[in-house]
Amino acid sequence: MKCNLLLASMVLVILISGTAIAQLGIPHQFWGSVKDSGGGPVQDGILIEVKIYGKDAAARTTKNGFYGYSPIFYVQDPRSDRDGKKIEFYVADVKVAEHAFANGATDELNLAAVG
């Protein structure tokens, strides 16, 4: 009986440990307006991208001069290693802003297209 209890306890510890290891980092949410070079809202469908160390991390398109509202714009943290890292925002393939990644943060970040 004690052996079964010990075995069950060990299995439970292994399962809980495996679940904790498999959890993803908490994403960072962004939203805001996107203005063209003249200060007006950009047209629908303009690509907004986020890169971390030059690698694609997230992307959405604009709607009514905004991004991140529908659908919500999350930058994921799949390996729980992005907290504090510099992320770069691109509008139509042109870098327009930088921001620090923060697990669980929600930030309004208004962007302006260049050119």
Side-chain angles (χ1 to χ4, degrees):
M1 188 64 143
K2 286 184 181 182
C3 185
N4 287 341
L5 182 59
L6 179 60
L7 181 60
S9 297
M10 289 175 62
V11 168
L12 184 60
V13 167
I14 290 169
L15 289 175
I16 291 172
S17 298
T19 301
I21 292 169
Q23 290 180 342
L24 303 177
I26 302 169
H28 190 151
Q29 179 185 1
F30 290 94
W31 73 90
S33 64
V34 185
K35 304 289 184 187
D36 62 22
S37 58
V42 297
Q43 63 187 359
D44 289 356
I46 300 296
L47 185 63
I48 307 301
E49 296 176 285
V50 168
K51 296 183 181 187
I52 300 175
Y53 296 122
K55 295 183 181 179
D56 294 337
R60 288 285 186 267
T61 56
T62 58
K63 185 172 182 179
N64 300 321
F66 295 93
Y67 76 99
Y69 290 93
S70 180
I72 295 173
F73 189 60
Y74 286 119
V75 179
Q76 300 292 336
D77 189 6
R79 292 184 300 280
S80 297
D81 63 352
R82 290 184 171 170
D83 197 42
K85 301 285 193 285
K86 177 178 74 171
I87 57 179
E88 301 171 329
F89 284 79
Y90 291 78
V91 174
D93 294 323
V94 177
K95 182 180 168 184
V96 297
E98 293 181 354
H99 199 285
F101 185 94
N103 289 113
T106 60
D107 285 303
E108 180 178 10
L109 183 63
N110 297 317
L111 305 173
V114 177

